[in-house]
Amino acid sequence: MLKFPYCNVTDLNQALAQCRFVGLLGPLASRRQSPRAVVSCSPSSSEFSLTPVQAVMSCQQQVGSSLVNRLRLGGLTEDGLSYKEKFIIRGFEVGINKIATIETIANLLQEVGSNHAQSVGFSTDGFGTTPTMRKLHLIWVTARMHIEVYKYPAWRDVIEIETWSQNEGRIGTRRDWILNEVATGEVIGRATSKWVMMNQDTRRMQKVSDDVKEEYLVFCPREPRLAFSEKNNKSLKRIAKLEDPVRYSKLGLKPRRADLDMNQHVNNVTYIGWVLESIPKEIIDTHELQAITLFYRRECQQYDVVDSLTGLELTEDSKTVSVGTNGSATATATTREDDHDCHRFLHLLRLSSDGREISRGRTEWRKKPTR
């Protein structure tokens, strides 16, 4: 059963504080028949029959005068199966060139994903945890993140991000995003991710149970909807592990207190910043990041010390040349006949203490455009 019976969801979503969901059928059953719910959005309103998604949207409209809803420039789409929100790029979200950073993009993706979860009544005290997850002390953690940016927004630009989630395999869920420039309607970026469940007490991964699936699948598209087609999804491409010695590195990185999130570990966006720390300066000065993929292997805690390693990626259709560091061949550079301005790197984040892998990744860089 969907875990909303006679639920006062004040602790789930302030915007739905007056809603009570009665007798909802589980979404797995809804694939076979249309689930119905009796919804009362206030003590004086008449009861009427709605699907779970319609129930949430109806209550949002009736309590939409809440402060957070008035200030937030977002909400569920017409079918209730995805969420859109507009953001103004602010001064502290841009770099020295007045262009949004990749960390800004990643933080906005995380924000709109959390707002989507809250808009359908999931927890406000974590990243989209359902009632069953809270009861069992389960949390969502990122297993994979892939972001492509075709055009970076500038200071004071307005962008709109759409997001939706869906099931992916037995142990995870998938969330995708599409970024649009509001002024032109142009798609300026896409992203996809995989999230898995972790027990907050044991810090061990756990299979997504049918009870949890029944709580969130009702708010997911019925048919697969992908920001990237599987055929062209670079996030699924295997990433080789870098081995010492490498050409570029930044050693001894330490998390700040501000890097910790609600799940009591270093937030996944911090890992992106650590990866960039070991990118060579000549690339940072002349190129901009066009795609990043990160596979997260283990948690990083506040007092861990991290090494960031970077090497040039070898591709099958490349010419290869040996590149030495202090006279030794330590990396292999790749150049493509038709792609002289594009550079590809492999990355490894590891614990300084024992070399255990935290994350591995891949980045692609293009020549900075003339602005």
Side-chain angles (χ1 to χ4, degrees), residues 92-103:
F92 59 85
E93 296 173 322
V94 302
I96 58 176
N97 56 358
K98 300 182 182 179
I99 302 300
T101 65
I102 187 63
E103 291 99 325

Side-chain angles (χ1 to χ4, degrees), residues 18 77 130 134 146 174 182 189 200 224 233 243 256 267 333 337 341 345 351 368:
Q18 296 176 350
T77 56
T130 70
R134 292 196 307 281
H146 177 77
R174 172 175 177 153
V182 171
Q200 196 166 15
N233 191 346
E243 300 291 349
R256 304 169 303 162
N267 187 266
E337 295 277 5
D341 290 335
F345 295 92
L351 294 176
K368 286 184 179 178

Side-chain angles (χ1 to χ4, degrees), residues 37 44 50 71 142 256 323 343:
S44 60
L50 293 173
L71 296 178
T142 315
R256 304 169 303 162
V323 179
H343 296 268

Side-chain angles (χ1 to χ4, degrees), residues 141-145 171 194 196-198 203-205 235-243 265-268 271 274-275 293-301 304 306 346-351 354-362:
V141 294
T142 315
R144 181 186 72 236
M145 175 68 75
I171 63 169
K194 182 175 182 178
V196 294
M197 278 202 319
M198 172 187 284
R203 314 309 286 186
R204 293 182 179 274
M205 299 302 171
S235 74
L236 301 178
K237 184 180 177 182
R238 180 180 176 273
I239 299 177
K241 181 181 178 181
L242 281 178
E243 300 291 349
H265 59 198
V266 175
N267 187 266
N268 66 83
Y271 291 42
W274 285 342
V275 163
T293 307
L294 286 178
F295 286 82
Y296 297 88
R297 303 291 186 175
R298 69 176 64 249
E299 289 185 290
C300 186
Q301 305 295 341
D304 288 333
V306 177
L346 296 179
H347 306 276
L348 176 69
L349 298 177
R350 68 184 184 189
L351 294 176
D354 56 17
R356 283 184 296 168
E357 181 179 357
I358 300 172
S359 177
R360 66 178 67 177
R362 173 187 293 110

Side-chain angles (χ1 to χ4, degrees), residues 15-16 56-65 69:
L16 301 178
V56 170
M57 297 180 71
S58 175
C59 285
Q60 280 187 323
Q61 292 171 0
Q62 295 191 39
V63 297
S65 60
N69 277 357

